[in-house]
Amino acid sequence: MQELETLFDSVYLLKKGKQSTLVTRNLTPGITYYGEPVFSVDKVEYRSWNPTRSKLGAVILKGLKEMPIKPGSLVLYLGVASGTTVSHVSDIVGEKGHIWGLDFAPRAVRDLLDNVIRHRKNISPILGDARQPASYSTLVQPVDVVFADVAQPDQAKIIVDNARYYLRKGGHIMLSIKARSIDVKENPKNIYEGQINVIEEAGFIVNETIDLHPFEKDHAMVIASS
Ligand SMILES: C[S@@+](CC[C@H](N)C(=O)[O-])C[C@H]1O[C@@H](n2cnc3c(N)ncnc32)[C@H](O)[C@@H]1O
C-alpha cells in the first residue's frame, strides 16, 4: 500500500511501509534525468528526488517551513549545472511557470540542453557569469525567486546582486551556502553568519536558515524575502 503526503504544492512524500521517498510529479512521464526511480500512483508518474544530490531536496527533508517555489513561479537559477535539481524545480513550477537556468561552464550547459531542456519547455538555458547580472538582462524577466547554488567565496554577494536586477518586490531568495568555498578551517556556523550579514545588509529579511547535514556536509540554505 503506498500513500502520498503533500509537503508543498507539487512536492510529496511517497510512503510505502516504513519507507518514505521525496518525489515530484513528473512533467514528462516516461522520461527520467539522472537515473532516479519513478513510481506510479493512481496512473500518475512521480520521480524520486535524491536529497544527497540536490540541496533543495535536502532542505525540504530538513524541515523547510515555507517553499517559495510554487506552481506558476518564475525562477532565476544561478549554478544550474547539468540539471539534476532544476528538473525537479521544473516539475514544481509546471507549464505556467518558467526557469532561467544559468551556468558559466559550457559543458554543464550543453549537458543541460541535451539531457533536460530538450524534453521541457519551461527552462531557458543561459551560458553566463552570475557575477555579471547586467550581461543577461535581455534574456530574463522579473522573477518571484532567485535561487543560487554556485559554491563560490562571494556566494551571498552574487545572489544579492542578481536579486537587485531581477527579483520582483516581495520575492524570495534561496542561497545554498558551501562553507568550504569560503574557508576550510573556520567553523561553518561563523561562515553562515557572515553570509547572512551580507544578505541582511542588502535589506532582505531572513526567514529560515537550515543546516543540510547529514545530506550535505558543511552546507546550509538561507531563505530570505525582499
Ligand atoms: C554545486 S554546482 C550546482 C549543482 C546544481 N545546482 C544541482 O543541484 O543540480 C555549482 C555550479 O555553479 C556553477 N558556477 C560557479 N560559479 C559560477 C558563476 N560565477 N556563474 C555561473 N555559474 C557558476 C558551476 O559551473 C557549477 O556548475
Side-chain angles (χ1 to χ4, degrees):
M1 175 72 185
Q2 43 185 17
E3 199 181 299
L4 272 182
E5 180 191 335
T6 303
L7 296 181
F8 300 108
D9 286 348
S10 295
V11 181
Y12 312 90
L13 263 190
L14 181 70
K15 295 181 168 173
K16 203 175 179 180
K18 285 185 180 154
Q19 218 183 334
S20 284
T21 310
L22 184 67
V23 297
T24 53
R25 182 180 174 145
N26 193 356
L27 201 59
T28 58
I31 301 167
T32 57
Y33 298 89
Y34 59 103
E36 68 280 23
V38 292
F39 306 91
S40 182
V41 181
D42 296 334
K43 297 191 179 149
V44 174
E45 188 174 288
Y46 296 85
R47 294 191 301 124
S48 171
W49 188 350
N50 186 340
T52 64
R53 293 185 60 181
S54 169
K55 287 133 210 164
L56 185 57
V59 82
I60 291 170
L61 288 182
K62 284 298 308 272
L64 180 70
K65 290 198 189 81
E66 195 201 334
M67 174 59 155
I69 301 173
K70 304 175 197 295
S73 291
L74 303 182
V75 179
L76 173 60
Y77 189 131
L78 309 172
V80 68
S82 53
T84 303
T85 297
V86 84
S87 69
H88 292 286
V89 176
S90 164
D91 282 346
I92 296 169
V93 303
E95 277 151 13
K96 292 191 175 143
H98 200 83
I99 305 146
W100 288 269
L102 176 112
D103 208 289
F104 68 2
R107 175 68 196 264
V109 174
R110 202 166 54 238
D111 289 350
L112 175 74
L113 275 165
D114 288 350
N115 300 336
V116 182
I117 290 183
R118 74 188 176 102
H119 302 295
R120 291 177 178 255
K121 295 194 180 80
N122 66 0
I123 312 171
S124 299
I126 303 174
L127 178 62
D129 184 350
R131 292 192 178 97
Q132 309 290 335
S135 65
Y136 35 90
S137 64
T138 55
L139 304 174
V140 183
Q141 289 175 24
V143 296
D144 303 300
V145 180
V146 180
F147 179 93
D149 181 18
V150 287
Q152 292 285 1
D154 52 344
Q155 44 209 326
K157 181 178 184 315
I158 286 175
I159 198 166
V160 162
D161 288 350
N162 276 272
R164 283 206 181 101
Y165 264 87
Y166 299 111
L167 191 65
R168 70 160 174 80
K169 205 161 177 264
H172 289 78
I173 59 174
M174 302 182 80
L175 173 64
S176 165
I177 303 174
K178 181 177 179 180
R180 297 297 175 227
S181 296
I182 292 174
D183 191 325
V184 288
K185 291 195 198 113
E186 181 67 68
N187 181 340
K189 287 206 173 92
N190 296 339
I191 291 174
Y192 305 152
E193 273 173 28
Q195 297 292 286
I196 287 168
N197 280 344
V198 174
I199 289 171
E200 288 180 334
E201 276 166 18
F204 288 89
I205 295 159
V206 172
N207 305 324
E208 296 182 64
T209 304
I210 299 177
D211 196 306
L212 302 186
H213 181 83
F215 301 115
E216 290 279 356
K217 193 169 180 280
D218 300 331
H219 280 72
M221 185 148 331
V222 178
I223 297 93
S225 41
S226 59

